[in-house]
Amino acid sequence: MSDDLRPLSDFLHQVPVDQVLAKKRWTRDDWVVFGLDILEKEGAPGIRIEELARRSNRTPGSFYAHFKSRDEFIDAMLKAWVDFKLARMMRLDSQLFHEGEFSLESLATQVVLNGVMARMKLEIAIRELAINDDRVRQLVMQVDTRRIHHATAMLTAEFPNAPHPQVFAMLFMWMNYGRHLAFIDPSDQQLADSARLVLPAFVQMYQSTAVAFKVRGAPKWKSAFKPLTADLLRRVGQMPSAPLPSPDEPPPPEPTKGRRRRRTPSANSER
């Protein structure tokens, strides 16, 4: 099944490690799920083949039946991370588009309503790997570039005449993800409070200055966004099924782009 049609719960990034540990025989995917769990908890130093085999009650031979090396194993874990992040991002942003809420304000609202991002400790561990590994860095940049392009398209949809929409997109990403590096302990209340304070303040700032903000020599590129279809989003459970129209009633009008309304957190709103 293609990534576009897989339920998010089927992505290796989302498979509970306890489900894997209960199995007698492991597949390649099971090793990846277990590796992601260790990487999230202990960082790169925890990815040692003999230690992974011991802690999982497997043999090193079981590992090497699926992977030729530690590098190949790390590549498989990174692919699982990237696949989920890109699919999840595309689905959420497409949902916002079809609901007439394709804006940084709506995205920031989702972040505040849902708190900590999906498996942020895992993302931090992967970013630490990227510091000294060019392969990892390229994959992280792939996700970050997509995030910036989507956010730029959102701001352009709100303010078509904004000279430098990508500047605000980058500021949003730095605040949204950088705050997890500023507050290392996930139990630190400041982590949650920072989102409720900083992101709404950012929304007020960009909405009042986006059109007027100009910097000589700053980039002027903009981004186009091609959403997934509403039908596909319904098929993967990202949007509720459309109600069948009554034979005597005309179909409901399409949502107006940029419309504002209070959102409630959805089950699939983590990025």
Side-chain angles (χ1 to χ4, degrees), residues 22-39:
K23 293 183 177 181
K24 291 184 177 180
R25 304 188 65 150
W26 276 13
T27 65
R28 178 185 175 93
D29 286 351
D30 294 331
W31 276 104
V32 171
V33 171
F34 182 68
L36 288 173
D37 182 70
I38 297 299
L39 182 61

Side-chain angles (χ1 to χ4, degrees), residues 88-159:
R88 181 64 206 96
M89 187 191 319
M90 194 66 192
R91 293 182 191 189
L92 173 59
D93 295 346
S94 296
Q95 179 186 5
L96 294 175
F97 182 93
H98 289 295
E99 293 180 347
E101 298 187 356
F102 190 67
S103 68
L104 285 184
E105 179 181 6
S106 295
L107 189 57
T109 300
Q110 285 295 314
V111 172
V112 172
L113 288 174
N114 290 282
V116 177
M117 309 297 283
R119 299 190 74 171
M120 197 62 209
K121 284 190 67 176
L122 176 59
E123 176 154 340
I124 291 173
I126 289 173
R127 289 181 179 279
E128 289 175 347
L129 271 175
I131 294 173
N132 298 309
D133 191 317
D134 287 339
R135 298 171 307 139
V136 183
R137 187 180 304 118
Q138 290 299 319
L139 291 172
V140 171
M141 287 175 61
Q142 180 183 349
V143 173
D144 287 347
T145 299
R146 183 76 65 86
R147 284 169 171 165
I148 292 174
H149 276 284
H150 283 207
T152 299
M154 288 180 177
L155 194 135
T156 302
E158 286 188 273
F159 301 101

Side-chain angles (χ1 to χ4, degrees), residues 149 152-153 156 159-166 219-224:
H149 276 284
T152 299
T156 302
F159 301 101
N161 297 322
H164 308 300
Q166 72 286 346
K220 296 183 178 181
W221 54 266
K222 297 185 179 181
S223 299

Side-chain angles (χ1 to χ4, degrees), residues 26 31 49-50 52-54 56-65:
W26 276 13
W31 276 104
I49 308 310
E50 291 76 11
L52 290 174
R54 184 190 67 80
S56 61
N57 292 321
R58 315 286 148 172
T59 65
S62 170
F63 174 88
Y64 287 110

Side-chain angles (χ1 to χ4, degrees), residues 76-91:
M77 290 193 294
L78 292 171
K79 183 179 184 304
W81 179 76
V82 171
D83 285 351
F84 172 79
K85 288 295 181 178
L86 294 182
R88 181 64 206 96
M89 187 191 319
M90 194 66 192
R91 293 182 191 189

